[in-house]
Amino acid sequence: MEVLISESYDEMSKAAAQVVAKTLNAKPNAVLGLATGSTPLSLYKELVRLHRNEGLDFSQVTTFNLDEYVGLTRNNPQSYHYFMHHNLFQYINIPAQNIYIPSGTTDNYEAFCQWYEQRIVDSGGIDLQILGIGTDGHIAFNEPSSSLGSRTRIKTLAQSTIEDNARFFDKPEDVPIYAITMGVGTILEADRILMLASGDNKAKAVAAAIEGPVTSMITASALQLHQDVICLVDSGAAAELTMTDYYRWIQDKQPGAPQTVPRPHFRKKSIVDRYLES
Ligand code: PGA
């Protein structure tokens, strides 16, 4: 994992936007995995600014969102459909047919989840997956005890997540109990992953994810199994990391590391591919 510590949320968000912009400049038809929540808000603002002022082009981009609340229609202001349109999509030139967000209102969740997984595969797989992290260490809505091999499915939200997200709703009782979410296994198939974390309320989860054991109790720790993860954290979220001197030393020696360090890029092979080749 490449851990990059920014002094502020703003600096972190601008660095994240640069990673996205470089991805799109290198591959204009890239497939992006997108996240909701407070953390990526400034990243999306910066992407809108880059689109308006510097011509960052989304005309060939495809996006897949991580999750959606079950039971909320796309027009509900608390839905992630609404969030994405109001914070990003309405301001950029992405074609509507290239936007995929899990449905919170399908009448057949099982079929929908299979279709969503297949759409990701048919689009060529996710080139860059953006992630936040929950205070309980979740990625997307993969709550503690989720299988690290899980796929897109319905998940019951943890009590701590319901409490964390109650701030977006009028009353805590309004927070849906279920969500449809990409699985940990789905996320790990992205070519590159960019995890963002801001604020000292995330410090424990960040330290557990980056430096703790790989465990389904902190589903973000599964990112340790991926070959190309950038963790962009601000100083608050980095507060409980024990190796900060090391991370900062690397960062200082290689300014702009995520963009400049050459990496061998191998498309990951599935177990089935390997078996067929053997
Ligand atoms: P937040 O949520 O960005 O609103 O803190 C992150 C998450 O729960 O994944």
Side-chain angles (χ1 to χ4, degrees):
M1 281 197 195
E2 192 164 349
V3 181
L4 295 167
I5 303 169
S6 303
E7 285 322 306
S8 66
Y9 172 65
D10 200 44
E11 188 187 311
M12 180 193 84
S13 305
K14 290 206 166 88
Q18 284 308 312
V19 176
V20 176
K22 297 226 168 178
T23 303
L24 300 194
N25 289 335
K27 186 175 178 190
N29 63 345
V31 178
L32 300 178
L34 298 179
T36 50
S38 309
T39 310
L41 276 174
S42 281
L43 157 64
Y44 295 153
K45 276 207 182 84
E46 178 64 8
L47 289 178
V48 170
R49 194 195 67 77
L50 289 172
H51 170 65
R52 282 188 178 151
N53 300 351
E54 295 179 26
L56 185 64
D57 181 27
F58 292 84
S59 64
Q60 298 177 63
V61 170
T62 299
T63 61
F64 287 91
N65 263 79
L66 287 168
D67 43 23
E68 177 60 285
Y69 289 115
V70 167
L72 298 195
T73 61
R74 54 182 58 230
N75 300 326
N76 186 313
Q78 269 74 43
S79 75
Y80 289 162
H81 279 77
Y82 189 97
F83 176 102
M84 289 309 303
H85 285 278
H86 286 260
N87 290 298
L88 182 64
F89 295 145
Q90 68 172 333
Y91 302 113
I92 60 174
N93 64 333
I94 185 167
Q97 68 272 18
N98 291 7
I99 296 170
Y100 294 92
I101 304 175
S103 169
T105 53
T106 173
D107 47 22
N108 186 340
Y109 278 96
E110 204 178 320
F112 182 87
C113 291
Q114 276 176 24
W115 175 82
Y116 200 71
E117 289 271 338
Q118 195 56 46
R119 284 308 305 146
I120 296 174
V121 172
D122 293 345
S123 305
I126 291 172
D127 293 294
L128 178 68
Q129 175 66 60
I130 292 155
L131 293 178
I133 179 170
T135 55
D136 63 359
H138 70 204
I139 45 175
F141 275 128
N142 293 289
E143 301 291 29
S145 81
S146 291
S147 159
L148 301 187
S150 51
R151 314 299 309 188
T152 304
R153 68 210 184 291
I154 300 241
K155 199 66 202 160
T156 306
L157 302 189
Q159 195 56 42
S160 60
T161 300
I162 292 174
E163 282 160 20
D164 286 348
N165 291 2
R167 68 189 193 279
F168 298 112
F169 291 80
D170 289 339
K171 308 189 283 300
E173 308 85 83
D174 291 346
V175 184
I177 295 170
Y178 302 108
I180 174 167
T181 180
M182 273 190 210
V184 180
T186 321
I187 291 168
L188 289 179
E189 279 173 11
D191 262 10
R192 175 176 257 197
I193 296 175
L194 177 60
M195 189 182 85
L196 306 177
S198 168
D200 50 15
N201 62 325
K202 297 291 174 70
K204 273 200 166 44
V206 164
I210 296 174
E211 296 179 344
V214 174
T215 167
S216 63
M217 295 308 286
I218 302 282
T219 52
S221 67
L223 300 179
Q224 295 174 29
L225 300 170
H226 193 281
Q227 64 171 356
D228 193 352
V229 177
I230 303 167
C231 293
L232 266 173
V233 297
D234 67 10
S235 47
E240 304 254 346
L241 290 168
T242 61
M243 300 272 290
T244 42
D245 289 349
Y246 175 67
Y247 307 136
R248 285 190 197 276
W249 182 71
I250 296 173
Q251 205 171 328
D252 292 346
K253 280 179 77 79
Q254 300 167 338
Q259 290 84 46
T260 55
V261 175
R263 303 164 174 275
H265 220 74
F266 303 110
R267 180 93 203 154
K268 287 167 292 301
K269 290 185 176 166
S270 70
I271 291 167
V272 176
D273 290 339
R274 276 189 239 131
Y275 173 76
L276 289 173
E277 280 171 13
S278 68

